[in-house]
Amino acid sequence: MTDITICGAGIFGLSIAWVCLKRGAKVRIIDPNGPGSGASGGFVGALAPHVPENWNDKKRFQFDSLILAESFWQEVDQLSGLSSGYTRSGRFQPIVNDRGLELAKLREESAQKLWRDKASWKVVPLDSNSSWKLMSQTGFLIYDTLSAHIHPRKACNSLLEAIRYKGAKVVTDAKQQGLTIWATGVAGLEVLSTDLGYSVGNAVKGQAVLLKPKVSLPSETPQIFAKGIHIIPHKDGTIAVGSTSESEFSTSHVDNRLKNIIEQAKQIVPLLNTASVIDNWVGFRPRASTRAPLLGAWPNRSDHYIANGGFKIGFGIAPLVAEMMADLVLDKIDRIPKNFQITIK
């Protein structure tokens, strides 16, 4: 007999399954397209915080999950024998003007209060980035020690193997048994919107490229965020660049945008000028109308729950999403922020 049925084998579904299995529940995961086939199947994996100011439930939740992530992925990888690619090596952001430098210094002060001794956000001189050889108009960078990165495809594979070790697996079709958690991404937002009679979210396109540089970077090289794109040095020697947010879905636009992403990356990091493109990814990510994740009970559906709307921070918040959803469905303990929960209008 199954205690929990999880519909959806993306990062939310797999993470929730893992935590529920650890707590002794019998779990079945259903996904007609297989694990990591949707928005979780990319390769950027930037686990990066929002700026440390104007603290709210979403920023607090993200911070707590980023702190939890290291132990979460260590345990998963140790059991699976695979690597998720998790590395907490921080992030550089070039400061482009005097106003940006002023804001960065103010945020350095707020990070000391909000992040306490668990992470820091500092303004550092340009020569702090010897591996990347970045440029900065002001001569300064932001460096935060909270940011980490992961290889999404490898992370899903590591979770999947750990889940198999615990006696569960992903199937393409089966009857729902026990309590049901819907972690079905864009398709799930559409179903939920129809059921509630108002739009709870929509699909936003993201895209990225995977590069192989000729020069190897040290394993603890920080990631970069500049000009609206992430540049992620993965443990396997590849560098992921992306991922954008757009509403234009045409093929010609995708091709042009991917070319633009590559050119932007080369301008930011000159060493990428000789890198070769080995893969690209285009997908649709679930963005909730509230811009916060949608977690909790499905209104008017007894024993049905929602875990959706991860958008660009899904991998970063997945560890805490999994813990709170397991608390809710297994122990009836509701720790989910009220503004994350689904309401009837």
Side-chain angles (χ1 to χ4, degrees):
M1 182 65 182
T2 298
D3 300 315
I4 306 290
T5 296
I6 297 174
C7 297
I11 186 58
F12 276 11
L14 293 175
S15 296
I16 295 167
W18 163 247
V19 173
C20 288
L21 285 163
K22 285 204 305 173
R23 297 191 188 185
K26 296 180 179 178
V27 177
R28 171 180 288 169
I29 312 159
I30 305 172
D31 194 313
N33 301 307
S37 58
S40 299
F43 37 67
V44 176
L47 312 185
H50 290 290
V51 293
E53 63 183 11
N54 300 324
W55 209 233
N56 56 32
D57 285 343
K58 182 180 178 183
K59 290 186 178 183
R60 183 180 297 105
F61 189 98
Q62 186 183 29
F63 173 81
D64 290 342
S65 191
L66 289 174
I67 296 298
L68 178 63
E70 186 166 11
S71 60
F72 180 93
W73 289 108
Q74 282 179 348
E75 184 178 20
V76 170
D77 289 354
Q78 183 176 7
L79 186 60
S80 72
L82 302 175
S83 173
S84 62
Y86 176 87
T87 304
R88 184 177 165 185
S89 53
R91 175 180 62 169
F92 284 133
Q93 298 180 69
I95 302 174
V96 300
N97 54 42
D98 290 340
R99 176 56 179 161
L101 182 57
E102 181 182 349
L103 285 173
K105 290 179 178 178
L106 290 173
R107 289 165 178 165
E108 183 174 345
E109 295 176 7
S110 62
Q112 291 176 350
K113 298 175 182 177
L114 298 171
W115 294 359
R116 303 178 298 281
D117 59 347
K118 295 184 178 180
S120 62
W121 166 295
K122 294 185 178 296
V123 175
V124 299
L126 188 60
D127 59 8
S128 301
N129 73 101
S130 57
S131 297
W132 287 118
K133 301 189 184 304
L134 294 174
M135 301 298 292
S136 169
Q137 289 91 323
T138 62
F140 291 95
L141 306 166
I142 297 165
Y143 174 61
D144 81 79
T145 63
L146 181 55
S147 292
H149 61 267
I150 202 165
H151 195 301
R153 293 178 184 176
K154 293 183 178 182
C156 286
N157 286 338
S158 186
L159 263 174
L160 186 62
E161 189 60 30
I163 286 167
R164 286 173 178 159
Y165 186 89
K166 289 288 188 180
K169 61 181 180 179
V170 177
V171 297
T172 57
D173 187 29
K175 289 184 178 180
Q176 298 163 24
Q177 295 180 353
L179 306 177
T180 301
I181 300 173
W182 296 87
T184 46
V186 170
L189 291 181
E190 294 174 355
V191 172
L192 187 59
S193 295
T194 300
D195 185 70
L196 297 179
Y198 71 94
S199 177
V200 299
N202 61 287
V204 177
K205 186 185 72 176
Q207 51 200 16
V209 293
L210 191 64
L211 306 175
K212 181 66 176 178
K214 291 187 177 180
V215 178
S216 297
L217 294 169
S219 59
E220 295 302 312
T221 299
Q223 62 187 278
I224 298 169
F225 182 68
K227 296 185 178 181
I229 63 172
H230 298 275
I231 301 175
I232 308 295
H234 285 306
K235 284 183 174 181
D236 61 5
T238 61
I239 296 178
V241 179
S243 174
T244 56
S245 299
E246 300 158 3
S247 56
E248 173 59 59
F249 299 156
S250 68
T251 301
S252 60
H253 185 271
V254 168
D255 292 340
N256 289 333
R257 193 68 187 95
L258 287 172
K259 291 178 182 177
N260 290 339
I261 290 171
I262 295 170
E263 289 306 312
Q264 283 181 293
K266 290 178 178 179
Q267 291 172 16
I268 297 166
V269 182
L271 72 81
L272 295 181
N273 278 301
T274 57
S276 56
V277 178
I278 59 175
D279 202 354
N280 61 70
W281 173 85
V282 178
F284 302 106
R285 296 170 295 176
R287 181 175 64 184
S289 300
T290 62
R291 301 298 182 93
L294 297 175
L295 307 174
W298 187 324
N300 297 328
R301 285 201 185 188
S302 179
D303 295 335
H304 286 251
Y305 300 83
I306 300 291
N308 206 326
F311 192 35
K312 293 188 290 186
I313 60 173
F315 277 83
I317 63 174
L320 191 53
V321 166
E323 293 289 343
M324 286 195 178
M325 290 300 296
D327 285 345
L328 182 62
V329 298
L330 296 179
D331 301 322
K332 306 306 177 186
I333 298 172
D334 188 352
R335 298 192 293 126
I336 298 168
K338 295 300 180 186
N339 58 341
F340 291 11
Q341 299 183 27
I342 303 97
T343 58
I344 299 175
K345 291 187 177 180

